[in-house]
Amino acid sequence: MRIAGRKNGIGQAAFAAVALLASVTGAGSQTLAALPAVTIPAAPVGEARPVPAWTEFCARYARECAVDTSEPTEVTLTPRLWHTVTTVNRQVNTSLRAVTDQEHWGVPDRWDLAEDGSGDCEDFQLLKRKLLAQAGLPRRAMRMTVVIDEKGEGHAVLMLRTDRGDFVLDNKTSAVLPWHKTGYTYIKREADEAMRWVSLGRAVSPVVTANR
């Protein structure tokens, strides 16, 4: 259930981030030195079961999970696009209040769009994807990903697939890092050809991603 009185849009944090997009995407050109180094992308190794809370989220927000196979599976990084990605990551991280799903909703794991300005890890990343898609990035190149974090707990990040490798947007840091530089163990991510998940072949999947 949603919190009463919190249904108008995606909250003040999101509106601030949307306003930011206008200035970010219109920013002046930067030098190629601003781009990250080229890295090896993460390679799926087979099928994986989706997170149950993701399935429930998709039933409520079908558009956020739909896969448009006419979109590219990766983006070409330019200085301007990289600036947009890093700025949205930082802005959402600093605008939302971090709270666990148990505290927020009274359930172990619920994926949402932080419509009341609060959420945990997956809510941060889903809002980032929504805002970046509004800025013109293909959803198909932005895949929700489940990892085991530095505490040994389930955690969700957003993997941006680019021509320079895969990069991770994370609510634990405002730095957008190459996937293999985060220190996380990668479990699985959304597939890019259908509404399913693929394994990243590293460990047993956590039951939930209820992590601030």
Side-chain angles (χ1 to χ4, degrees):
M1 294 177 63
R2 299 186 186 280
I3 296 174
R6 300 288 189 173
K7 296 178 70 175
N8 54 336
I10 47 180
Q12 291 182 345
F15 283 121
V18 169
L20 176 72
L21 286 179
S23 61
V24 168
T25 54
S29 62
Q30 299 172 300
T31 66
L32 287 177
L35 290 175
V38 177
T39 64
I40 298 173
V45 296
E47 298 284 334
R49 297 180 64 179
V51 178
W54 175 85
T55 302
E56 296 167 1
F57 170 79
C58 292
R60 288 180 283 119
Y61 297 97
R63 184 179 178 184
E64 297 298 319
C65 301
V67 177
D68 181 355
T69 56
S70 70
E71 289 185 332
T73 58
E74 63 179 40
V75 296
T76 299
L77 275 188
T78 64
R80 180 173 293 178
L81 179 60
W82 182 244
H83 182 57
T84 298
V85 170
T86 56
T87 304
V88 168
N89 185 61
R90 181 175 61 253
Q91 180 68 18
V92 171
N93 285 354
T94 57
S95 297
L96 297 183
R97 182 175 70 94
V99 59
T100 67
D101 287 326
Q102 193 65 55
E103 296 168 321
H104 196 181
W105 302 106
V107 296
D109 199 20
R110 174 186 168 110
W111 289 33
D112 219 305
L113 287 169
E115 292 177 324
D116 62 354
S118 301
D120 67 351
C121 55
E122 69 274 354
D123 308 325
F124 278 68
Q125 318 325 331
L126 288 165
L127 177 55
K128 292 170 190 176
R129 179 164 72 177
K130 183 180 181 71
L131 294 172
L132 289 168
Q134 290 174 355
L137 276 72
R139 291 177 184 275
R140 197 179 179 203
M142 297 182 286
R143 302 287 81 192
M144 290 296 293
T145 303
V146 172
V147 303
I148 300 297
D149 70 5
E150 73 284 354
K151 298 178 181 178
E153 298 176 347
H155 182 51
V157 297
L158 181 63
M159 184 176 288
L160 175 65
R161 307 188 64 201
T162 84
D163 63 334
R164 301 179 75 86
D166 296 338
F167 296 88
V168 166
L169 285 73
D170 189 358
N171 60 298
K172 294 189 177 188
T173 176
S174 289
V176 179
L177 299 173
W179 70 280
H180 56 85
K181 295 287 189 179
T182 61
Y184 297 152
T185 299
Y186 286 78
I187 309 302
K188 57 189 176 183
R189 73 177 179 208
E190 289 178 278
D192 56 26
E193 73 279 1
M195 281 183 58
R196 60 185 185 83
W197 284 64
V198 293
S199 172
L200 296 176
R202 303 299 291 273
V204 176
S205 175
V207 177
V208 300
T209 58
N211 189 326
R212 290 190 191 182

